[in-house]
Amino acid sequence: MIRTFTTHRIRKQEELTGKLWQFCPLQGEFAGKQFQVPTPGCWENYPGFGLYRGEGRYTTQFQAEGNLLITCKGVSHTATVLLDGQIIAEHYNAYTAFSAVARAVPGGLHTLEIIADNRFSEKSALHVPNDYMSYGGVSRPVVLEQVGTSYLEYLHITPFFRDGHWHAQVEAAVQNLCEMEPVDMRITLAGQSLRFPRLSLPRGRSVHRGELSFEEVQPWLPESPVLYEAQAVLQKGEQPYDDLIDRFGFREVDIEGRQILLNGKPLRIKGVCRHEDHPQFGCALPFAAMAGDLALIRHLGANSVRTAHYPNDEVFLDLCDEQGILVWEENHARGLSLEQMQNPHFERQAEQVIKEMVELHYNHPSIYIWGILNECASDTEYGKECYRQQFDLLRSLDTSRPCSFASCKFKSDICFGLPDVVSYNIYPLWYHDTSAKEYLKDLYNWVQEETEGQGKPFLITEIGAGGIYGHRSTYATKWSEQYQAKALKEQIRAVLSHPDCTGIYIWQFCDIRISEEGWFGRPRTMNNKGILDEYRRPKLCYEVVKELFEEQ
Ligand code: ADA
């Protein structure tokens, strides 16, 4: 499934996944053997491949001709894409989409091969052995589109409220493959149109801007998430030849003192951190599983999800837009040490993912904040420079949302001057036995008295405790469901009763698989801090969290 709505009514589009492809592992016990596997998918879910780390070649065939735009929504984690034996794209990172155009392809049957590689090496600065799993495979849809010599690449809508009504800045990017006659572009949003007559398009990408005002539109709010369609159309004379449809909502996010405002109303976050992870699907959750997770999140009384620790599948974001769930969307990076941040590929790879994330997810009204560099070296000067550069980049791409990072550096963080919101991951009652209330108070006061984070909104982006599903202990010891429920009760109460805390994200929605390499001390090779286990079975703490979220 590509999106939850139609993205083209003129351009011809076809999903190439959603069926069986050929799969051939290139190393290991089954090297060179052919298998038929479902796509999208992760090879860890094919019998015998649960621990396979290596390369795998996926192959399919299709009929088409002309200029073919091939988009991979996610290949985990490094991809080489070949069309009829020629490399057309190479890409690093599992969690963002990439495209390639093959020009003037003759009519007939064509072969598409995607070589996915999930190995760790010096070349991979962001996918490293970690407290989550880097799966292998074509994990998100692959889409085939037929385009002309010019086509729409993105349409960004930035709504704003001034002088009693809504307006929107509009930005459209057009890609032009060769010299061409001027074309006309029309952009329609919520019934209003902008015209760009006789646009002369230079070769490559050109960006076109305009503004519209609206009289009678409904705002996007969590309790009434009204969405509008935006459509851009390119035409030659009277003949439309390309279009791009996206959705947006009329909402603004502002920071006022210690509050984050959505359409002028202070946000009170009651959220969960969620990995894209499922024992049957790896990171390639099908629609029903994503929608099922959101149904549980809403049933829990939560109003927000943190996409820890990478950009999520667009379908999940579509569902959040439709259901009014606020999203902290995060760039890919978790717990990188100073040494890992000094990897020569780190800067380029992190910046590339930020650019792809913002360009692709810009219009989702549910995304109210961007996060970067979870728990990296924000206590070092070198790290600070990396945070600074990435915040600068984010702000150059999007000025309509605040940004933040989740710190674990207790009283040694030196970066709080950089984000719009100060965010902390804390684990009182789990990694240490301090009372949650005292710990939070102490930390908050330190931020106010000693750091440049003073006066900024303050969020708890992680808190939680481990609990193994089904483990009830007479003594309610650590790892038992009772201990987890008790710890969460105290932690949630402490955060939600703090007068200056914007909210809480619980670590985490459900138990997840972690990478085997280098990660000791995690029972079951899982992170067991889920409110649900990996099969989405509620633990004892589920009702505790639900009760506290519903009463606040
Ligand atoms: C960190 C980290 C999470 C997870 C968590 C834990 O704060 O951001 O990815 O590892 O700790 O379970 O300890």
Side-chain angles (χ1 to χ4, degrees):
M1 178 176 198
I2 307 171
R3 301 291 295 269
T4 65
F5 59 96
T6 303
T7 49
H8 302 281
R9 283 195 280 266
I10 298 169
R11 187 188 299 177
K12 243 174 96 186
Q13 185 190 57
E14 182 191 342
E15 180 177 350
L16 295 178
T17 37
K19 58 185 180 190
L20 298 174
W21 287 31
Q22 290 294 319
F23 170 69
C24 173
L26 302 189
Q27 293 88 26
E29 165 185 8
F30 303 112
K33 292 217 166 76
Q34 294 289 337
F35 300 84
Q36 277 204 319
V37 299
T39 56
C42 296
W43 61 57
E44 286 80 357
N45 296 102
Y46 317 149
F49 286 89
L51 296 173
Y52 179 60
R53 219 168 256 297
E55 293 169 294
R57 184 173 55 235
Y58 288 80
T59 311
T60 192
Q61 292 193 313
F62 61 85
Q63 296 272 355
E65 73 174 304
N67 293 338
L68 306 181
L69 174 63
I70 295 172
T71 302
C72 301
K73 299 273 186 177
V75 175
S76 190
H77 60 62
T78 295
T80 307
V81 182
L82 298 96
L83 182 64
D84 298 328
Q86 300 293 316
I87 294 183
I88 56 166
E90 288 176 296
H91 183 261
Y92 172 71
N93 208 284
Y95 307 116
T96 42
F98 60 97
S99 300
V101 180
R103 295 213 217 168
V105 173
L109 192 65
H110 300 285
T111 302
L112 183 70
E113 292 165 279
I114 301 179
I115 299 170
D117 186 350
N118 75 339
R119 288 172 298 185
F120 299 125
S121 76
E122 268 300 294
K123 283 191 277 182
S124 168
L126 306 176
H127 283 276
V128 294
N130 221 324
D131 202 8
Y132 59 92
M133 178 67 183
S134 277
Y135 288 97
V138 175
S139 48
R140 291 182 187 166
V142 178
V143 185
L144 170 69
E145 292 175 344
Q146 229 168 295
V147 292
T149 44
S150 57
Y151 60 93
L152 287 146
E153 283 193 316
Y154 71 73
L155 181 59
H156 285 170
I157 313 298
T158 315
F160 60 100
F161 193 78
R162 293 288 175 283
D163 307 325
H165 57 138
W166 283 99
H167 311 259
Q169 283 165 0
V170 180
E171 184 176 301
V174 182
Q175 180 65 232
N176 184 17
L177 301 176
C178 60
E179 301 306 322
M180 69 180 287
E181 300 290 299
V183 300
D184 298 332
M185 180 165 66
R186 178 170 37 87
I187 298 178
T188 308
L189 313 185
Q192 304 279 344
S193 286
L194 256 181
R195 284 176 192 278
F196 298 81
R198 296 195 61 75
L199 269 187
S200 50
L201 301 176
R203 215 181 251 268
R205 177 183 275 190
S206 57
V207 175
H208 310 273
R209 297 185 178 84
E211 204 173 295
L212 282 169
S213 299
F214 305 85
E215 291 300 333
E216 302 275 328
V217 288
Q218 303 295 314
W220 186 95
L221 294 165
E223 55 279 18
S224 59
V226 181
L227 294 167
Y228 288 90
E229 182 181 289
Q231 185 189 25
V233 176
L234 292 177
Q235 54 189 69
K236 285 180 193 142
E238 288 306 299
Q239 193 54 44
Y241 66 92
D242 192 49
D243 74 336
L244 181 59
I245 298 166
D246 206 348
R247 294 188 313 194
F248 69 102
F250 287 96
R251 66 107 187 82
E252 276 186 301
V253 184
D254 294 298
I255 301 282
E256 216 174 82
R258 292 187 163 89
Q259 293 184 322
I260 309 176
L261 307 179
L262 185 97
N263 285 342
K265 214 173 135 201
L267 287 181
R268 176 94 174 128
I269 297 295
K270 290 177 284 178
V272 290
C273 297
R274 173 181 174 272
H275 270 286
E276 292 179 320
D277 196 272
H278 192 291
Q280 274 179 288
F281 313 114
C283 64
L285 275 71
F287 177 73
M290 290 188 227
D293 282 358
L294 267 177
L296 285 163
I297 288 167
R298 297 174 75 210
H299 180 254
L300 200 58
N303 62 6
S304 187
V305 177
R306 174 171 171 237
T307 70
H309 301 297
Y310 38 77
N312 271 23
D313 191 312
E314 282 168 292
V315 170
F316 184 76
L317 300 172
D318 287 344
L319 290 169
C320 291
D321 291 343
E322 290 168 19
Q323 304 197 331
I325 294 292
L326 297 160
V327 177
W328 162 306
E329 170 131 287
E330 187 154 295
N331 190 36
H332 186 206
R334 180 209 166 274
L336 301 180
S337 63
L338 174 61
E339 198 188 0
Q340 288 173 314
M341 291 176 95
Q342 285 167 337
N343 177 315
H345 304 287
F346 166 75
E347 195 178 314
R348 184 179 46 80
Q349 292 179 344
E351 291 191 1
Q352 171 214 319
V353 186
I354 288 180
K355 285 183 192 153
E356 292 169 336
M357 170 180 81
V358 177
E359 182 170 317
L360 282 162
H361 297 173
Y362 189 88
N363 291 332
H364 289 282
S366 56
I367 301 175
Y368 75 101
I369 192 166
W370 298 118
I372 56 166
L373 296 174
N374 171 74
E375 294 196 352
C376 296
S378 54
D379 53 348
T380 65
E381 285 301 334
Y382 184 88
K384 187 174 180 180
E385 208 31 55
C386 300
Y387 276 88
R388 185 193 312 283
Q389 276 177 29
Q390 293 191 21
F391 279 123
D392 286 352
L393 175 64
L394 261 181
R395 290 179 175 123
S396 73
L397 299 168
D398 184 6
T399 51
S400 73
R401 291 173 173 91
C403 36
S404 188
F405 71 96
S407 170
C408 67
K409 299 297 177 207
F410 192 49
K411 290 186 180 173
S412 57
D413 202 297
I414 56 170
C415 291
F416 290 143
L418 301 172
D420 302 303
V421 174
V422 171
S423 307
Y424 261 109
N425 299 343
I426 58 172
Y427 285 90
L429 307 176
W430 184 250
Y431 290 126
H432 51 90
D433 291 327
T434 332
S435 113
K437 208 170 180 148
E438 287 312 309
Y439 189 73
L440 181 61
K441 192 169 143 207
D442 185 32
L443 196 58
Y444 183 81
N445 292 343
W446 177 75
V447 171
Q448 302 314 306
E449 286 154 22
E450 311 275 339
T451 78
E452 294 171 307
Q454 182 203 27
K456 296 186 180 184
F458 184 91
L459 255 179
I460 292 300
T461 29
E462 284 180 33
I463 201 160
I468 294 183
Y469 182 84
H471 174 47
R472 306 282 167 98
S473 139
T474 317
Y475 311 107
T477 43
K478 279 190 173 171
W479 297 112
S480 69
E481 285 197 38
Q482 297 108 307
Y483 183 86
Q484 185 191 24
K486 197 168 123 237
L488 271 166
K489 191 181 219 166
E490 187 182 324
Q491 294 166 339
I492 296 171
R493 279 194 175 143
V495 178
L496 292 182
S497 64
H498 191 287
D500 292 315
C501 210
T502 296
I504 186 169
Y505 285 96
I506 293 172
W507 188 267
Q508 60 179 334
F509 170 66
C510 70
D511 293 348
I512 54 151
R513 184 175 172 185
I514 66 169
S515 42
E516 208 102 16
E517 301 87 344
W519 271 82
F520 305 107
R522 289 269 187 257
R524 310 190 304 133
T525 324
M526 304 280 292
N527 185 308
N528 296 293
K529 298 191 186 73
I531 304 167
L532 303 125
D533 80 347
E534 63 274 27
Y535 294 100
R536 280 56 176 171
R537 295 178 297 186
K539 300 184 195 166
L540 268 187
C541 62
Y542 185 93
E543 286 303 324
V544 171
V545 175
K546 183 169 163 61
E547 207 172 294
L548 290 171
F549 273 6
E550 282 175 349
E551 84 185 21
Q552 297 283 330

